[in-house]
Amino acid sequence: MQRTPRSAENRSAIAEDARCIFERHVRDRKLKSSKVRTELVRNIASLSGHFTAETLQGRLDPQVRVSKATLYRTLGMMCECGLLISHEFGQGALFFESSLGQAHHDHFFCVDCRTITEFTSPGIEAMQERVAAESNFELTSHSLKLYGYCAACGPKRAAAAQPR
Amino acid sequence: MQRTPRSAENRSAIAEDARCIFERHVRDRKLKSSKVRTELVRNIASLSGHFTAETLQGRLDPQVRVSKATLYRTLGMMCECGLLISHEFGQGALFFESSLGQAHHDHFFCVDCRTITEFTSPGIEAMQERVAAESNFELTSHSLKLYGYCAACGPKRAAAAQPR
DNA sequence: CTAACTGCAAACACTTTGCACGCCA
DNA sequence: TGGCGTGCAAAGTGTTTGCAGTTAG
């Protein structure tokens, strides 16, 4: 499953949805809104793909200028209200992805080029439910990562191993 | 699946196996052995359950005195030669577990009491293989974690939510 | 006018690294 | 006897927090 990059119209619709969800979260918690935060949320939510706090800096509209502190604080809030999903891939930093307009999915991680790709497997999901139920474990979330060589790096590696 | 704690005889057999595997690793890489390291490897390999570098300190034989630097270096080597498996549970520190005498398994993580339990699901494993093959992804490893409330915390939580 | 937001820099937790010295092959 | 292992302390990395000033409701 390859994710299609978001179109411009799509992105602005998503940004708007994100703003609404975030505003509700802010209201519920009796927090305050702010120009910086609103723009930041719109920006982040409309990104496609996976990013870290670090790589995020380079992908924001140049006019959105935020400190690392605010960035991390906002990322945290967006995770709390479900706008972002975070993942660990053993790379030190957390990876985030916008959840809006995204069906649930799991990930491949190429240990060579570090590319993250997505897949879905209803069968695996169903079996997870079953396994959890059998153990009286009340499932709230899960994380499935498959590590290895992607379709590009696998052959490349095989060729390098046998240079003849 | 509950892991049975290791018996004393079992632990010493495992410690011995671990030593052999580690020695081979050392030889292959033209490194050197040392008293500290050998004892550390025997100790760590015979532990049952999951531990972090931090909690490990308290579980070693009191006579094994090592610096954090050596501890981390040894943990790294043990992972390289397959004696240890490491896991991230989003808790900051890496968790390790000895792999000797252990079948492959995946994990439940209780978000309340933070207990780690294990399970196996050949069905899930098989489906992972299939999904990877379909994407021409060459699988080398995987990580599946189910988060939620364990059999003890689930009911406890339900009761607290409705105190009547 | 109060409480939350912001940026900055300092603090933090976990892990890695540089270095001087000791020990193994 | 050369090179690796060790401990110590310092450095690193990613993230969080305290604080003084700013802004929203």
Side-chain angles (χ1 to χ4, degrees), chain B residues 26-64:
Chain B
V26 161
R27 231 177 302 119
D28 286 353
R29 307 234 170 166
K30 308 200 193 313
L31 303 177
K32 286 177 183 171
S33 206
S34 89
K35 202 170 167 189
V36 171
R37 206 132 86 177
T38 305
E39 258 324 289
L40 197 47
V41 169
R42 292 182 51 98
N43 247 264
I44 295 176
S46 56
L47 291 177
S48 41
H50 302 77
F51 47 87
T52 62
E54 179 70 26
T55 65
L56 180 54
Q57 309 253 42
R59 297 186 57 190
L60 296 173
D61 278 356
Q63 70 234 35
V64 178

Side-chain angles (χ1 to χ4, degrees), chain B residues 68-121:
Chain B
K68 258 195 162 84
T70 298
L71 193 55
Y72 276 107
R73 285 188 274 238
T74 307
L75 287 171
M77 295 178 71
M78 290 180 75
C79 285
E80 281 171 13
C81 64
L83 285 174
L84 287 182
I85 315 264
S86 68
H87 308 282
E88 283 179 297
F89 288 102
Q91 299 298 107
L94 267 182
F95 283 76
F96 300 90
E97 66 179 322
S98 167
S99 66
L100 279 188
Q102 289 276 131
H104 168 77
H105 56 255
D106 295 306
H107 297 91
F108 290 121
F109 184 85
C110 178
V111 296
D112 188 347
C113 68
R114 309 195 166 180
T115 296
I116 299 166
T117 20
E118 301 161 5
F119 69 89
T120 44
S121 169

Side-chain angles (χ1 to χ4, degrees), chain A residues 104-106 119-126 144, chain B residues 127-128 130-131:
Chain A
H104 168 78
H105 56 254
D106 294 306
F119 69 89
T120 44
S121 169
I124 291 179
E125 307 277 320
L144 172 59
Chain B
M127 289 183 129
Q128 287 175 5
R130 204 166 72 203
V131 156

Side-chain angles (χ1 to χ4, degrees), chain A residues 18-164:
Chain A
R19 199 188 51 69
C20 290
I21 292 171
F22 193 79
E23 296 280 283
R24 182 167 59 236
H25 179 72
V26 161
R27 232 178 301 119
D28 286 353
R29 307 234 170 168
K30 309 199 192 316
L31 303 177
K32 287 177 183 171
S33 205
S34 89
K35 202 171 166 185
V36 171
R37 206 133 85 178
T38 304
E39 259 324 290
L40 196 48
V41 168
R42 291 180 52 95
N43 247 265
I44 295 176
S46 57
L47 292 178
S48 42
H50 300 78
F51 47 87
T52 63
E54 179 70 26
T55 65
L56 179 55
Q57 311 253 40
R59 298 187 55 190
L60 295 174
D61 278 357
Q63 70 234 35
V64 179
R65 191 81 83 257
V66 265
S67 66
K68 256 193 163 86
T70 297
L71 193 57
Y72 276 108
R73 285 189 274 239
T74 307
L75 288 170
M77 296 178 72
M78 291 181 72
C79 285
E80 280 171 15
C81 65
L83 285 172
L84 288 182
I85 314 263
S86 68
H87 307 281
E88 283 180 298
F89 288 102
Q91 298 299 105
L94 266 182
F95 283 77
F96 299 90
E97 67 180 321
S98 167
S99 67
L100 280 188
Q102 288 276 129
H104 168 78
H105 56 254
D106 294 306
H107 298 91
F108 289 120
F109 184 85
C110 178
V111 296
D112 189 348
C113 67
R114 304 191 170 184
T115 297
I116 298 167
T117 21
E118 301 163 5
F119 69 89
T120 44
S121 169
I124 291 179
E125 307 277 320
M127 292 184 117
Q128 287 175 6
E129 303 275 354
R130 205 168 71 204
V131 155
E134 280 166 7
S135 297
N136 292 309
F137 191 88
E138 190 186 326
L139 216 47
T140 57
S141 68
H142 72 263
S143 140
L144 172 59
K145 283 140 206 159
L146 303 187
Y147 294 86
Y149 296 89
C150 70
C153 293
K156 195 172 68 188
R157 178 161 154 272
Q162 193 154 40
R164 184 154 312 275

